[in-house]
Structures are given as C-alpha cells and as structure tokens.
Amino acid sequence: MRNNAIVAVNGDFATFNNGGIIIRNGSLFRANRSTRHMLAIDQNGDFIPYINPPDDAKPAGDEMLAQGVWQTMIFGPVLVADGAAVPLPENFFINTSGALEPRTAIAQLGPLHYLILVVDGRQDGYSQGVSLEKLQEMFLEYGAITAFNLDGGGSTTMCFQGNVINRPANGGQRHVPDIIYIAE
C-alpha cells in the first residue's frame, strides 16, 4: 500500500461538495462556508471538533494553519466532544434519526491513541448497518474524548496491511478522493 499505510479508511469525500475548510498536510486547499461539522487534527495528532464551523472561512482557515492544524475533515456529525455525547442535529445533510447505514468514524481516546470503527450495512443476512446513536454509544463505551462520523454508505471501507477487511455495501471498493491512514 502506498505511503506505508498499516490501516486505511475512507475519508470525508471532500470533493463531493465545495464547502468547508479543507487542510491537508498543513496546506489550505479550500476555505468556504459550510453547514457540515468539521474535525481538525493538529500537528500533535489531537482532534478538535467543530459543531459550528466558522462563517468567515478564509480568515478561520488561515488562523487554523497558524495554530498548527495539519488536517481537517468536513462531514460529521461530531459524535463525542470533551468525552460526552453531542446532541445529534435534526436537520443535517445525512439522516441522523436512527437510520441503519454502513458507517466509518474515528475517535481520539488519548494522546496519539485512536479508534476507528467501520460497520458494514445494506446487506441482508449479514449486516444492516448501525445508527449514529449506537455509533456514539460505542465510542463512549471505549472512552472517546472526541469522535467524528466520516463518509459512510458505499464508501465504507477499511484496509489493513493492503487488504480490504470489511464487506463494502456496494460489493467492492468505491473510488474515493481521500482516505485517513495510519503508517509506520
């Protein structure tokens, strides 16, 4: 696998929309207003959740760079912040009302200690998926400080040491524009 990735999952599908502050490897790629939640990851690997992304995106993006933000993900919702469940938004661009779906989400449990949950779905006799509420509960059970929902559905894929280890909903890997990976 490229970049010596040990584990990799689909990211936030940032190119699917044109909103949000997108920082990758310390470079600002886009700074537009968005109603989606945002996760910032600083140079120390710490997660910073944004339930209300900044309205004035360009200065906010520049400030994030100045504060050492290394990556951002624009999707959501934020599931856990400061170790507590975040109320799920009622009006959001994805269904937050208990629908069972394939999901990919990531959490920080402590300094440089992360948990990635991938749940298959939309497959009768195998898995129907998980609700955001249940995903949130699972992260709290594992002691998440911050947890963030990434793109899911047919994009939900986890690779470990170069092999897909889940069963993607659409029968195979979907081409996605970005991933989150942990390397040696």
Side-chain angles (χ1 to χ4, degrees):
M1 185 170 248
R2 285 184 285 171
N3 302 314
N4 298 316
I6 296 169
V7 65
V9 295
N10 54 284
D12 63 357
F13 216 95
T15 58
F16 186 69
N17 71 81
N18 63 359
I21 298 169
I22 301 299
I23 297 172
R24 297 292 195 261
N25 300 326
S27 294
L28 182 63
F29 283 90
R30 180 174 76 215
N32 297 327
R33 190 178 182 302
S34 177
T35 59
R36 295 181 181 202
H37 291 188
M38 183 172 63
L39 177 68
I41 305 170
D42 70 16
Q43 292 174 336
N44 297 319
D46 291 326
F47 287 9
I48 307 153
Y50 288 83
I51 296 165
N52 299 306
D55 285 331
D56 202 356
K58 178 63 174 132
D62 291 338
E63 180 64 23
M64 287 178 178
L65 290 176
Q67 293 173 353
V69 170
W70 191 245
Q71 311 286 346
T72 59
M73 295 289 141
I74 189 85
F75 203 85
V78 172
L79 302 171
V80 177
D82 297 320
V86 173
L88 296 173
E90 291 182 21
N91 296 317
F92 204 61
F93 74 99
I94 63 169
N95 186 332
T96 61
S97 66
L100 301 179
E101 295 288 349
R103 308 270 185 198
T104 304
I106 190 167
Q108 182 172 17
L109 306 179
L112 299 176
H113 189 187
Y114 310 101
L115 174 64
I116 299 170
L117 292 177
V118 170
V119 179
D120 290 329
R122 299 181 188 161
Q123 299 175 60
D124 291 336
Y126 172 64
S127 176
Q128 293 305 307
V130 69
S131 68
L132 288 172
E133 294 91 347
K134 181 62 178 169
L135 195 62
Q136 190 176 53
E137 288 173 24
M138 289 190 287
F139 279 122
L140 290 170
E141 288 172 15
Y142 282 105
I145 297 167
T146 303
F148 189 75
N149 183 59
L150 296 163
D151 184 25
S155 297
T156 294
T157 304
M158 178 180 267
C159 292
F160 180 71
Q161 295 181 337
N163 299 304
V164 175
I165 62 169
N166 70 313
R167 287 173 52 182
N170 60 352
Q173 272 184 277
R174 175 186 281 176
H175 292 281
V176 294
D178 56 6
I179 63 170
I180 294 176
Y181 70 92
I182 297 174
E184 296 184 55

